[in-house]
Amino acid sequence: MFIHIDDFVKAWTEESTLTERVMEALTDASLSQPIAEGRRTLGQVAWHLVESIHYMTHCGLDFSGPSGGARVPASAVEIAAEYRRISGALIEAIRSQWTDERLLDTTEIAGEMWQNGASLRFTLMHQAHHRGQMTVLMRQAGLRLPDIYGPTYESWIEQGMEPLA
């Protein structure tokens, strides 16, 4: 749980930069890569990350949601751009509308009481969860993965190192 806005902003900035790298590696063709028959596609997971940031409005923040609503764009560039925009809007809303004390306020979400600071932590971890799903689907779609928390297999080779299998 976050108890200081500056701590969240620092963590979100670091994590959203990683998510942006993943979004920027997508191609229009890769967006149709399915998880499994009848399940989300890579494009749907990517757009879910964009949409899910706006869920923080349930905690009293006010900022505009994804342009285009629930429609998943056919353009990977559009998805990445909208992710950057709404990620920045979240930070601006938190900085301008909340204080550290507001992180202790509670909101009912799905029948449970959540402190705002806990909702922020969940939002951060939710991004990491789906970013991980995206990287698996990106591999299946034949895309080059960006380095996230360390080098990829390809990066190890390019650096002249023996990759860990």
Side-chain angles (χ1 to χ4, degrees):
M1 181 173 123
F2 289 96
I3 58 172
H4 298 291
I5 288 173
D6 288 343
D7 291 342
F8 173 76
V9 169
K10 182 178 186 293
W12 182 263
T13 300
E14 291 169 1
E15 290 295 312
S16 66
T17 298
L18 298 175
T19 302
E20 286 176 23
R21 279 192 220 152
V22 170
M23 295 284 193
E24 290 165 358
L26 298 174
T27 63
D28 294 351
S30 72
L31 299 179
S32 61
Q33 177 67 44
I35 292 173
E37 184 66 35
R39 304 293 297 274
R40 288 179 174 165
T41 63
L42 176 54
Q44 289 169 324
V45 173
W47 192 244
H48 172 67
L49 280 180
V50 173
E51 289 182 307
S52 66
I53 295 171
H54 197 246
Y55 296 168
M56 286 304 298
T57 58
H58 296 297
C59 297
L61 290 171
D62 182 29
F63 61 102
S64 63
S67 62
R71 174 195 63 82
V72 178
S75 164
V77 169
E78 184 180 340
I79 292 171
E82 190 60 12
Y83 177 82
R84 274 189 302 281
R85 185 198 67 76
I86 199 163
S87 178
L90 171 67
I91 293 297
E92 177 56 33
I94 291 168
R95 283 186 166 153
S96 65
Q97 298 170 33
W98 281 358
T99 60
D100 287 347
E101 292 75 28
R102 290 284 315 270
L103 298 181
L104 300 175
D105 290 354
T106 57
T107 304
E108 184 178 338
I109 300 174
E112 295 180 18
M113 297 307 289
W114 284 61
Q115 288 184 313
N116 289 339
S119 292
L120 289 176
R121 183 176 186 288
F122 176 85
T123 300
L124 186 76
M125 300 312 295
H126 181 255
Q127 293 279 302
H129 162 71
H130 286 302
R131 188 174 60 222
Q133 289 179 321
M134 289 176 65
T135 61
V136 171
L137 293 171
M138 290 167 72
R139 274 263 186 237
Q140 291 174 347
L143 297 180
R144 168 82 187 249
L145 300 181
D147 294 345
I148 299 176
Y149 292 119
T152 62
Y153 184 88
E154 293 83 4
S155 293
W156 279 91
I157 292 172
E158 290 170 359
Q159 294 172 26
M161 301 170 76
E162 184 69 29
L164 302 173

